[in-house]
Amino acid sequence: MRPARALIDLDALRHNYRLARERHGGQALAVVKANAYGHGAVRCARALAGEADGFAVACLEEALELRAAGIQAPILLLEGVFEAAELAEVARHQLWPVVHHAEQLRMLEQARPQSPFAVWLKINSGMNRAGFLPDDAQAAWQRLQACAAVGTITLMTHFARADEPHLLSTTEQIAAFDAATAGLPGPRSLANSAGVLGWPAAHRDWARPGILLYGADPMPDEANALRPVMTLESRIMALREIPPGAALGYGARFRAERPTRVGLVAMGYADGYPRSAPDGTPVSVDGRPTRLIGRVSMDMLTVDLTELPDAGLGSRVELWGNAVGVNRVAQCAGTIAYELLCNVKRVRFDYLGG
Ligand SMILES: *Cc1c(COP(=O)(O)O)cnc(C)c1O
């Protein structure tokens, strides 16, 4: 069997959830959209089911997958519904829709569910992606309040730059949100992962941690005691020595400067390892640090074993996990940990601590 696999540590997931909830206070929705950032939404939600106050997903389809798997906790739809017909399912499964634009408000005004929806009204406090403008927040709230189909209204916003602790941007967004919602009753939710870790002023009734649950710190310069959840690993499946001057792999990107011992690893961009990773990207072989050399291909990549004479056929290669932080690989590849984790596919998934 091909040895490429993602090892998912569910104890680490629970540890990170508890850390988020403790740091923030109040309640915390575990964000498990996009298949739990590539970790497996059903397995992750089940692992947290005993303790998570609820879950957040992008859309109805993702919520239905969790309900079908027996998840009974509240589930927030972060993008709300896309058409009025979805509201019947939202009601049937007691999901919580976000309302972030006028058309969704109109759908709710026309809905006649058996029991009212618990909605989350999203305010655009400066990111300018989704949500009602601050000037429209009070009117949107009044219209929701007047809806027969609406029960409790939670007020929320989302940060654009909470992972940049030295900037004023998040302070300004918090102030804009507070001004827009002044006097309105109901619970509040501001903090994503970076908000939980870096912005106490954003700690209100509900946190919405995502990436931190998976152990990738959005503020990597701070030591936040998160535990990586995914280890992406494989094994050395072939070895060769190449002489000085010899080229390695597609495009001959890497050229040996000295006799080089090359390990061939069963892992490629079709598994989600980034093709954009340059020579020198860290990898760990049998627990020892070394580097990627040569371009990543679809099913394989190559690593430098020159300094690791004990490594050989079958040696374990960690692409990211405890030895190689996914943030470091992301930085080398010019992307973010979110994208790397979401992209993992084809490999076998093994779960620990279920
Ligand atoms: C994805 C998302 C989150 C989680 O963000 P992280 O940076 O992964 O913590 C929180 N809130 C909203 C609205 C989101 O879309």
Side-chain angles (χ1 to χ4, degrees):
M1 190 163 38
R2 189 164 178 265
R5 68 167 181 165
L7 191 61
I8 308 294
D9 181 349
L10 297 171
D11 288 324
L13 177 72
R14 283 185 285 262
H15 165 88
N16 297 335
Y17 176 82
R18 283 176 203 140
L19 184 145
R21 203 169 179 282
E22 216 170 274
R23 281 280 191 101
H24 182 274
Q27 295 185 285
L29 293 179
V31 180
V32 294
K33 64 191 179 191
N35 198 28
Y37 293 44
H39 293 66
V42 166
R43 295 299 295 262
C44 289
R46 280 187 180 147
L48 291 171
E51 52 191 301
D53 303 305
F55 297 95
V57 296
C59 57
L60 178 65
E61 294 87 334
E62 292 182 344
L64 294 180
E65 187 192 9
L66 297 184
R67 284 285 185 257
I71 300 298
Q72 290 173 348
I75 302 177
L76 179 68
L77 307 179
L78 290 166
E79 295 180 358
V81 296
F82 293 82
E83 48 191 321
E86 292 177 33
L87 286 173
E89 291 289 291
V90 171
R92 180 173 311 126
H93 295 283
Q94 302 205 320
L95 308 172
W96 297 352
V98 165
V99 181
H100 65 80
H101 66 98
E103 186 53 32
Q104 289 177 328
L105 193 48
R106 279 191 286 277
M107 293 177 200
L108 283 168
E109 284 174 333
Q110 282 154 25
R112 295 288 177 268
Q114 299 219 314
S115 57
F117 296 111
V119 305
W120 286 42
L121 176 60
K122 186 166 185 174
I123 309 303
N124 167 16
S125 59
M127 188 172 183
N128 292 321
R129 189 180 60 169
F132 290 86
L133 283 170
D135 283 349
D136 301 331
Q138 299 272 338
W141 188 91
Q142 296 295 347
R143 278 176 63 186
L144 281 175
Q145 178 67 13
C147 273
V150 171
T152 61
I153 305 171
T154 300
L155 295 160
M156 72 177 287
T157 194
H158 192 53
F159 297 134
R161 309 186 71 174
D163 55 346
E164 298 174 276
H166 49 285
L167 296 184
L168 275 178
S169 162
T170 301
T171 304
E172 288 166 358
Q173 282 200 259
I174 295 169
F177 173 83
D178 285 340
T181 57
L184 297 179
R188 266 101 171 133
S189 175
L190 281 68
N192 57 356
S193 296
V196 169
L197 296 172
W199 298 94
H203 297 176
R204 305 293 168 90
D205 303 283
W206 286 94
R208 306 186 310 272
I211 194 72
L212 86 73
L213 299 179
Y214 309 101
D217 198 323
M219 287 132 135
D221 294 342
E222 297 166 25
N224 278 311
L226 302 177
R227 285 168 54 188
V229 174
M230 180 191 293
T231 302
L232 184 67
E233 63 176 34
S234 190
R235 291 186 185 275
I236 302 284
M237 58 176 177
L239 293 156
R240 85 176 58 246
E241 300 264 354
I242 61 173
L248 174 64
Y250 283 121
R253 183 179 74 180
F254 178 83
R255 216 169 264 283
E257 283 173 4
R258 55 177 183 174
T260 298
R261 190 159 172 263
V262 180
L264 184 63
V265 183
M267 178 69 65
Y269 62 77
D271 303 300
Y273 190 86
R275 182 175 176 279
S276 52
D279 293 332
T281 301
V283 301
S284 168
V285 178
D286 288 337
R288 318 245 322 257
T290 182
R291 58 177 185 148
L292 176 82
I293 50 175
R295 201 168 264 167
V296 174
S297 25
M298 188 181 288
D299 312 313
M300 290 178 266
L301 56 79
T302 38
V303 298
D304 188 353
L305 300 179
T306 312
E307 307 284 340
L308 301 179
D310 296 337
L313 278 184
S315 284
R316 181 181 163 274
V317 181
E318 179 185 304
L319 289 316
W320 59 68
N322 281 295
V324 180
V326 66
N327 275 325
R328 283 176 68 202
V329 179
Q331 195 176 28
C332 289
T335 183
I336 52 176
Y338 297 73
E339 190 184 29
L340 294 187
L341 295 171
C342 286
N343 276 344
V344 174
K345 51 193 176 290
R346 185 170 72 178
V347 302
R348 188 171 84 243
F349 275 70
D350 290 332
Y351 289 85
L352 280 176

